[in-house]
Amino acid sequence: MNHIAAKIKIFKERPAGTTGDTVTVIEPKAGWQIIDTGELREYRDLFFFLVWRDIKVLYAQTIMGFSWAILQPLIQLVIFTIVFGKVANVSTDGIPYVLFSSVAIIPWTYMSQAMTNSSQSLISGKEILGKVYFPRLIFPITSVLAKLVDFGISLLIILFVIIYYRVMPTWNMLLFPVLVMMMMGVSAGVGMWLSAMAIRFRDVKHAMPFAIRMLMYSAPIVYSASSIPEKYRLLYSLNPIVGVIEGFRACLLGTPVQWGYIWPGLMTAILLVCSGALYFKRMERVFADVI
């Protein structure tokens, strides 16, 4: 328990006649702090418990249960195919629109839901936040991990569409674990930033639906990235969601890998995670006071 020993600020004897010998006051460290991975490992049992709790309550008392994990992206896929594929006739570089949008909607649905849940994780866990000490970073990361179950189930939609269109796997499939990590990193980075901000500014909750909609149209989910003018593509590629979506498209459909979108997006995702963790640790000392 080295992390606790490092946080002990006052260690004194209780007055005579009281139960116990000492009182230990744990105070947060001042200034900027990096993530204490050793501390997170010590609380891994609690970590796994909270992830499992989130998974169990996700569709508790619902009639459809885990079917919602497929229905939500499936309904989006049908609407986008009709509106953007049939009515607007959006260019997809020769790829059938169902195939083109399905490999983008599934990772986007995961990221949008993980970011939304993660941003509100501290607020929803306020009942235990001020009572027991454990690394607060567990809250936003738990939401990101729990949504992986939905992502895994909804991959069945992509599998069905790929089989229907007889798309053969290529060596690009080797990118899949990297893209999943990148997808989780974007969600965790945004989640750490917003959950720490949401403690002080409850506006975050009301701004999230609008922000999520804006993010969806800022990435090549319903349109092709090739439709972006050449002079804006470097700026466009700094959006990490662009790299994730284009990466999944190349990985699952076997199209050429767009490294020009993936590398800048990966760098932005790493920056998001590092800056989000620093900001979260910086604000952690006031969580219990303002919750």
Side-chain angles (χ1 to χ4, degrees):
M1 304 294 283
N2 295 331
H3 62 284
I4 290 182
K7 293 174 182 296
I8 292 175
K9 191 74 174 179
I10 301 173
F11 188 79
K12 61 186 181 182
E13 292 188 355
R14 283 187 173 179
T18 59
T19 304
D21 298 321
T22 60
V23 174
T24 302
V25 179
I26 301 175
E27 293 186 349
K29 296 177 182 178
W32 294 95
Q33 305 291 328
I34 61 173
I35 296 177
D36 188 344
T37 53
E39 186 182 34
L40 287 175
R41 276 199 301 273
E42 289 184 24
Y43 284 91
R44 59 184 177 278
D45 291 340
L46 175 65
F47 195 38
F48 294 142
F49 169 77
L50 291 177
V51 171
W52 181 240
R53 182 204 62 176
D54 278 11
I55 292 172
K56 285 200 299 183
V57 304
L58 199 57
Y59 299 111
Q61 296 182 323
T62 61
I63 296 174
M64 303 294 289
F66 281 96
S67 300
W68 283 112
I70 290 180
L71 279 176
Q72 291 180 39
L74 185 61
I75 292 170
Q76 272 190 309
L77 179 61
V78 171
I79 293 173
F80 287 173
T81 300
I82 294 173
V83 175
F84 297 102
K86 300 294 182 184
V87 178
N89 200 23
V90 172
S91 172
T92 57
D93 300 327
I95 303 171
Y97 197 86
V98 174
L99 195 58
F100 176 85
S101 58
S102 63
V103 294
I105 287 174
I106 303 303
W108 163 249
T109 301
Y110 165 81
M111 286 190 286
S112 62
Q113 293 180 349
M115 286 190 284
T116 301
N117 291 357
S118 186
S119 69
Q120 297 302 308
S121 57
L122 290 174
I123 302 295
S124 58
K126 63 182 180 182
E127 298 299 328
I128 59 174
L129 194 61
K131 296 177 181 176
V132 184
Y133 175 77
F134 58 88
R136 301 332 192 193
L137 200 59
I138 287 177
F139 277 111
I141 297 178
T142 294
S143 302
V144 172
L145 292 178
K147 293 308 291 183
L148 280 177
V149 175
D150 276 5
F151 176 71
I153 296 172
S154 58
L155 281 177
L156 292 173
I157 296 175
I158 295 181
L159 183 64
F160 176 79
V161 174
I162 283 177
I163 292 174
Y164 180 80
Y165 283 96
R166 300 179 181 178
V167 178
M168 298 301 293
T170 66
W171 288 106
N172 290 354
M173 285 294 293
L174 295 176
L175 283 173
F176 188 80
V178 178
L179 294 169
V180 170
M181 292 298 294
M182 188 174 167
M183 178 182 74
M184 293 172 62
V186 173
S187 307
V190 173
M192 286 187 284
W193 268 103
L194 295 182
S195 59
M197 292 176 68
I199 285 288
R200 304 190 72 167
F201 309 107
R202 302 303 166 94
D203 309 69
V204 171
K205 178 182 178 181
H206 302 288
M208 277 306 289
F210 172 75
I212 290 295
R213 279 197 296 273
M214 292 300 101
L215 279 175
M216 190 189 78
Y217 291 112
S218 72
I221 297 167
V222 296
Y223 59 87
S224 171
S226 62
S227 61
I228 301 297
E230 186 76 30
K231 60 181 178 181
Y232 297 123
R233 287 185 186 175
L234 179 59
L235 181 64
Y236 184 65
S237 65
L238 295 178
N239 179 353
I241 299 173
V242 175
V244 172
I245 300 301
E246 283 299 307
F248 270 105
R249 209 161 262 153
C251 170
L252 298 171
L253 302 184
T255 56
V257 179
Q258 302 293 331
W259 294 109
Y261 293 121
I262 295 177
W263 279 118
L266 184 60
M267 294 299 107
T268 309
I270 293 172
L271 182 64
L272 259 178
V273 172
C274 294
S275 61
L278 284 172
Y279 180 70
F280 190 94
K281 293 292 288 183
R282 174 73 174 178
M283 299 302 296
E284 190 176 18
R285 58 186 293 113
V286 302
F287 287 168
D289 297 327
V290 299
I291 192 72

